[in-house]
Every structure is written in structure tokens, then in C-alpha cells.
């Protein structure tokens, strides 16, 4: 008789992979999140299926203070892609929900927070494919608003400015944002009339076989090297290393970005993050290639300082950096 299946990979009890290849995900209601759900009553939200074939949804957030009308300015659109090492997370998790409420109210924007397929059931690049699919959904809505007007009521009716769309990604979501910027290209003409004006990468989850100093440094409250490596083992195609192009934009097998036209990018990172060096290398390399990219570092902060506590003083500063970035790249 064979042995019973046993756990071979355990992501904080939220995700467990067994020796027979089966996967167990803890129901959201059973996860002991370290932060409560915040609702400051400033924003309305609802869920929409954006990919009917794969049954993937996003959550829309709209400031309650906004009133549409011929003389009113249209709302910019901000996509937010959550973190979780490509293995965890959802639009319904409290940290994602709270952060999107803060983005919608603080940026006066319509925020769209898509889910995406997770590893190990769906290896990379599935997450990036779903992210692009979410932008294509907005494109379809934009075309309907220009034609029949049968699209989503929150998006049609002259309410949304499809010419001012921004992508914000946290951790693995920041990695997704980078690959979206490369795929969509400058001007994002593939998804017209949607026009992505810029990308914000908050503590982007990049990797590489060769360790950086911050990766080898002290562990964080919610992050350590073992967890980072586990996320890459589970999310990358079988047999691939952390130098895979999805993990390392500047790896030995990664395509050159020298001749790739990119829309503006803003990188935000905490000074005590294990991912800090990766983010800084990314910024420096793209800057050397002549890309329009900014870098903002918050001294002493760990991973999640922005998204897990979006109403803190430092989070407010980071939010202002995004707001400035949006204004500077609005046309």
C-alpha cells in the first residue's frame, strides 16, 4: 500500500500542496487576517465578471462624492493588481479591499481590482494573461459606451475617462504591471480607445538566481527568503529557475528592453524590504536604458507598509506620490 498524501509545500497554512499534486486553499472566511475590513463610507463597490470563459471577476470602486454630468470632469481609471507571490490573494481579501477604497477616495478615480489565476494550479504567465484580459474588458466597455451604450452603468454615461488609465501593482502585482507595460507598449494602442498613461510598481516581486544583499538580510515580519523561494517554485513553469524572464527582467535569457518603448513607470519600495535591491536594480537598469522611470524609497519600512495599512501617514505620502505621477503623466 502506498503512503497517504502529505504536505510538500505550505504557504502559511493558506495554501498547501500535497505529494500527490493536490492543492488545498483555506476558505477566505477561515483566514485569520491581521487587519480588519475598513469601510469609510466614501466609496461604493461591486463585483463584475470580466472573463466569462474562465469565470474571473474584478471589483469596481467608485467615489460616492462623484456626480456625473456634462460639466463634470470624468474619472480616471486605476487598475490594481494584488500581491501574494502569484500564489495567494484576491480582490476580496481585506488588505486588497481596504487599499482599493483608499485609492478610489484618495485619487478620485474609478478603481478596478481584478482577480487572476493563481499558482501552482496555473503557472506563469497565466496571471499576466488575465491582467491583460482585464484591460481588454475595459476596452470592450469603452467601445460599447461609444456605440450602443449597453455596457456597465458605472463605466458608461460619460463618467469614465478612457484616455487616462493607470496600472498599480503590489508585489507580484508589480511584476504583472511590468510585463503589462512591455506587452501593451507605449501608447497602449492595442487596447484603444483605452490609453494606459503609466504604471506604478509597489515593492515589485522580482527574483534571480544570484542573491541580493537585501534578500540575504534580516527577515521581515511577514516575509522571509524561504517564502520568497517557495512562491517562485510554485509559480514558475516546471524546471525553470528564478532567472526565468517572468521573474528576472534582466536575466541571462530575458529579452533586451533597450528597444522596447515603455510608458512612464513609478517604483515605490520600503527601505527595509527584502525586495528593495531588486526594485532598485530594476529602476537603475531602466533609467540607464533611457526609460522614463521614477523611484521612491520609504526609509525603515517593510513589505506591505503601503497596502496593508493604507491610512497611515507614510501610506498617505506614497499615495501623494501616485497622485503626482498621475497628474504629470495625464497627457
Amino acid at each position: 500500500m502506498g503512503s497517504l498524501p502529505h504536505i510538500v509545500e505550505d504557504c502559511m497554512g493558506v495554501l498547501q500542496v500535497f505529494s500527490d499534486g493536490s492543492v488545498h486553499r483555506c476558505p477566505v472566511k477561515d483566514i485569520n487576517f491581521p487587519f480588519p475590513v475598513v469601510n469609510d463610507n466614501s466609496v461604493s463597490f461591486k463585483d463584475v465578471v470580466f472573463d466569462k470563459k474562465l469565470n474571473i471577476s474584478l471589483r469596481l470602486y467608485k467615489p460616492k462624492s462623484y456626480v456625473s454630468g456634462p460639466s463634470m470632469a470624468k474619472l480616471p481609471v486605476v487598475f490594481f493588481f494584488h500581491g501574494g507571490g502569484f500564489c495567494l490573494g484576491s480582490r476580496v481579501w481585506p488588505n486588497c479591499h481596504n487599499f482599493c477604497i483608499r485609492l478610489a477616495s484618495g485619487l478620485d478615480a474609478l478603481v478596478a481590482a481584478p482577480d487572476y489565476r493563481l499558482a501552482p494550479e496555473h503557472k506563469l504567465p497565466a496571471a499576466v494573461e488575465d491582467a491583460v484580459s482585464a484591460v481588454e474588458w475595459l476596452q470592450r466597455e469603452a467601445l460599447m459606451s461609444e456605440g450602443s451604450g449597453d455596457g456597465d452603468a458605472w463605466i458608461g454615461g460619460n463618467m469614465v475617462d478612457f484616455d487616462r488609465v493607470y496600472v498599480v501593482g503590489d508585489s507580484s502585482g508589480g511584476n504583472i504591471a511590468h510585463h503589462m507595460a512591455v506587452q501593451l507598449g507605449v501608447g497602449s494602442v492595442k487596447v484603444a480607445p483605452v490609453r494606459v498613461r503609466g504604471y506604478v510598481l509597489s515593492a515589485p516581486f522580482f527574483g534571480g538566481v544570484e542573491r541580493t544583499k537585501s534578500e540575504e538580510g534580516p527577515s521581515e515580519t511577514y516575509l522571509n527568503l524561504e517564502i520568497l523561494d517557495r512562491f517562485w517554485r510554485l509559480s514558475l513553469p516546471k524546471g525553470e529557475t528564478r532567472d526565468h524572464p517572468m521573474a528576472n527582467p534582466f536575466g541571462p535569457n530575458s529579452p533586451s528592453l533597450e528597444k522596447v518603448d515603455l510608458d512612464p513607470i513609478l517604483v515605490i519600495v520600503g527601505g527595509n524590504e527584502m525586495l528593495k535591491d531588486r526594485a532598485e536594480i530594476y529602476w537603475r537598469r531602466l533609467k540607464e536604458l533611457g526609460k522614463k522611470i521614477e523611484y521612491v524609497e520609504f526609509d525603515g519600512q517593510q513589505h506591505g507598509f503601503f497596502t496593508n495599512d493604507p491610512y497611515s501617514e507614510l501610506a498617505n505620502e506614497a499615495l501623494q506620490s501616485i497622485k503626482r505621477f498621475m497628474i504629470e503623466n495625464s497627457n
Side-chain angles (χ1 to χ4, degrees), residues 28-196:
V28 175
K29 63 181 178 63
D30 295 334
I31 300 175
N32 185 25
F33 293 104
F35 23 72
V37 174
V38 174
N39 190 353
D40 62 6
N41 207 36
S42 66
V43 174
S44 300
F45 64 90
K46 67 175 182 178
D47 293 319
V48 177
V49 176
F50 73 87
D51 190 323
K52 293 182 179 179
K53 183 179 179 180
L54 296 174
N55 193 30
I56 311 177
S57 297
L58 56 76
R59 182 165 287 181
L60 290 175
Y61 297 81
K62 181 180 68 173
K64 289 184 178 180
S65 60
Y66 180 78
V67 179
S68 62
S71 62
M72 298 294 292
K74 298 179 183 180
L75 291 171
V77 179
V78 174
F79 277 98
F80 174 69
F81 294 96
H82 67 75
F86 299 109
C87 299
L88 307 175
S90 168
R91 72 191 191 285
V92 303
W93 279 28
N95 55 337
C96 179
H97 180 74
N98 296 344
F99 186 63
C100 288
I101 288 177
R102 188 71 187 97
L103 287 178
S105 61
L107 299 176
D108 291 318
L110 181 78
V111 174
D115 277 340
Y116 49 85
R117 287 172 293 169
L118 299 174
E121 301 97 317
H122 306 283
K123 303 283 190 179
L124 290 168
V128 177
E129 293 170 353
D130 296 340
V132 173
S133 176
V135 178
E136 292 172 342
W137 166 84
L138 183 65
Q139 179 188 36
R140 293 193 297 272
E141 292 290 331
L143 293 172
M144 280 191 286
S145 72
E146 292 180 349
S148 64
D150 294 333
D152 189 279
W154 282 18
I155 295 176
N158 209 38
M159 180 183 298
V160 168
D161 189 348
F162 299 108
D163 194 56
R164 290 191 298 142
V165 178
Y166 303 85
V167 174
V168 178
D170 172 54
S171 194
S172 54
N175 179 301
I176 289 172
H178 160 74
H179 289 287
M180 288 180 69
V182 173
Q183 286 193 29
L184 294 180
V186 67
S188 48
V189 294
K190 297 177 184 177
V191 289
V194 170
R195 171 67 164 90
V196 180

Side-chain angles (χ1 to χ4, degrees), residues 86 124-128 175-176 178-179 183 205-207 232 236-237 242-249 254:
F86 299 109
L124 290 168
V128 177
N175 179 301
I176 289 172
H178 160 74
H179 289 287
Q183 286 193 29
F205 181 40
F206 295 129
W232 287 125
L236 289 172
R242 296 187 304 275
D243 276 336
H244 186 278
M246 288 299 306
N248 188 352
S254 299

Side-chain angles (χ1 to χ4, degrees), residues 157-312:
N158 209 38
M159 180 183 298
V160 168
D161 189 348
F162 299 108
D163 194 56
R164 290 191 298 142
V165 178
Y166 303 85
V167 174
V168 178
D170 172 54
S171 194
S172 54
N175 179 301
I176 289 172
H178 160 74
H179 289 287
M180 288 180 69
V182 173
Q183 286 193 29
L184 294 180
V186 67
S188 48
V189 294
K190 297 177 184 177
V191 289
V194 170
R195 171 67 164 90
V196 180
R197 294 285 176 178
Y199 297 82
V200 179
L201 283 57
S202 178
F205 181 40
F206 295 129
V209 171
E210 185 178 348
R211 302 293 191 191
T212 67
K213 184 177 180 181
S214 62
E215 284 174 340
E216 294 180 331
S219 299
E220 300 182 50
T221 304
Y222 299 113
L223 209 60
N224 57 50
L225 197 57
E226 181 183 5
I227 292 173
L228 292 176
D229 286 352
R230 180 175 293 115
F231 284 151
W232 287 125
R233 275 199 308 274
L234 294 175
S235 63
L236 289 172
K238 187 175 180 180
E240 295 289 350
T241 72
R242 296 187 304 275
D243 276 336
H244 186 278
M246 288 299 306
N248 188 352
F250 305 104
N253 299 315
S254 299
S256 172
L257 296 175
E258 183 176 2
K259 295 183 180 180
V260 177
D261 289 329
L262 299 173
D263 279 312
I265 295 172
L266 169 64
V267 178
I268 297 175
V269 69
N272 285 2
E273 295 202 42
M274 297 182 71
L275 297 174
K276 184 185 83 72
D277 288 352
R278 295 282 177 197
E280 188 172 358
I281 290 169
Y282 176 80
W283 163 61
R284 292 189 184 280
R285 292 290 295 273
L286 286 187
K287 195 171 183 63
E288 290 169 359
L289 292 175
K291 313 305 179 185
K292 187 175 181 181
I293 184 168
E294 301 175 51
Y295 178 87
V296 180
E297 182 178 317
F298 288 84
D299 292 342
Q301 298 306 300
Q302 294 188 358
H303 198 65
F305 83 94
F306 188 15
T307 49
N308 292 342
D309 191 9
Y311 290 88
S312 69

